[in-house]
Amino acid sequence: MTDQPVPTTAAGEAPTARGEQTRQLILETAIRLFRERGYARTTMRAIAEEAGVAVGNAYYYFGSKERLIQEFYSRTQDEHRAAARPVLERESEFAARLAGVLHAAIDVLTPSHEFAASFFKVAAEPSSPLSPFSSETAGPRQASIELFTEVLAGSTSKVDPELRPHLPELLWLAYMGTVLYWVYDRSPGQTRTRTLIDGAVPLIDRLVSLSRLRVLRPVTRQVVELLRMLRQ
């Protein structure tokens, strides 16, 4: 049976400290149940019962399970930025900064690995609001791209001027590929994903450095033009 939103008299009230506490409780409970039971098997009613709140209250703070996941995306991105902060403050080399940020992402995502594969089946649907490319997830996506902007901006790497404004988005796409690999990585502690990062980053660093060579400028322009076409 599908849970339906239940009207609540709380709608329209100004946020309060107690309301924020309830909201965080529902979110924390949802994330725990997603990890324990999987996304598909966790209903809003189950979340409400586990959190000890009325179903109507759960829907008041989060209109759907999708809204909970979008909040999870935002929280994960905040945690990723915080986890990456030490390496960004310590390193100035592009490769070290990029590797540190990618490893920090895996550190943050690790507790959700068991539920990630089942959840990805939903997020992979082109029309899903949970897709990392959907309009509903634009906020966390842009925050992640901004983190890769910081990776580049704080580095000593010299980048082709035409490529530079587009590189953070390309790095984000590489990050999405890394996450997809991680989702299906069954090696102990997802060590293969770590190996992928350590092997891919020097290649990316080399390509970024070579982008300034005159002989490669036509290739750089093709990459930039392709990215522009995909944005349309």
Side-chain angles (χ1 to χ4, degrees):
M1 179 178 179
T2 302
D3 293 330
Q4 297 295 326
V6 178
T8 171
T9 58
E13 292 182 1
T16 63
R18 184 173 181 179
E20 181 58 23
Q21 185 178 28
T22 301
R23 185 177 184 278
Q24 291 302 318
L25 172 62
I26 294 169
L27 178 59
E28 294 285 353
T29 302
I31 292 173
R32 176 170 58 82
L33 291 182
F34 289 151
R35 288 170 175 167
E36 292 175 357
R37 305 179 184 180
Y39 178 76
R41 296 177 59 192
T42 302
T43 64
M44 288 292 284
R45 185 173 299 278
I47 293 168
E49 290 176 354
E50 191 74 11
V53 302
V55 177
N57 275 354
Y59 275 110
Y60 167 59
Y61 289 104
F62 301 96
S64 64
K65 282 202 304 180
E66 288 82 3
R67 186 67 189 86
L68 278 161
I69 288 294
Q70 288 158 8
E71 190 73 15
F72 171 68
Y73 282 165
S74 296
R75 171 176 289 198
T76 299
Q77 182 54 41
D78 289 342
E79 292 175 353
H80 183 194
R81 180 174 291 277
R85 181 56 46 201
V87 74
L88 292 178
E89 291 177 349
R90 182 178 68 248
E91 302 289 349
S92 60
E93 293 295 325
F94 174 74
R97 291 169 70 84
L98 179 58
V101 166
L102 293 176
H103 280 296
I106 301 305
D107 292 339
V108 169
L109 290 170
T110 291
S112 302
H113 187 260
E114 289 305 312
F115 107 89
S118 60
F119 164 71
F120 184 76
K121 295 176 183 177
V122 179
E125 287 289 333
S127 60
S128 173
L130 302 182
S131 165
F133 300 95
S134 72
S135 60
E136 290 86 350
T137 60
R141 179 172 64 252
Q142 187 57 40
S144 186
I145 293 173
E146 288 172 2
L147 181 57
F148 289 106
T149 300
E150 189 174 351
V151 168
L152 180 61
S155 77
T156 56
S157 182
K158 305 298 182 182
V159 184
D160 179 270
E162 191 170 359
L163 177 63
R164 190 177 187 91
H166 305 282
L167 186 55
E169 189 171 355
L170 291 171
L171 294 175
W172 177 78
L173 288 171
Y175 166 54
M176 287 292 98
T178 302
V179 171
L180 176 59
Y181 186 90
W182 169 83
V183 166
Y184 293 103
D185 183 2
R186 295 301 168 184
S187 62
Q190 292 73 61
T191 54
R192 289 181 180 173
T193 302
R194 304 284 187 176
T195 300
L196 172 63
I197 292 171
D198 291 337
V201 166
L203 294 175
I204 294 172
D205 183 37
R206 184 78 180 274
L207 289 172
V208 168
S209 297
L210 291 175
S211 70
R212 293 187 301 139
L213 297 179
R214 185 182 298 273
V215 69
L216 289 180
R217 283 179 183 172
V219 176
T220 299
R221 291 193 183 99
Q222 284 184 307
V223 171
V224 170
E225 184 59 28
L226 176 59
L227 191 56
R228 285 172 177 158
M229 290 173 59
L230 292 174
R231 287 173 180 155
Q232 294 177 358

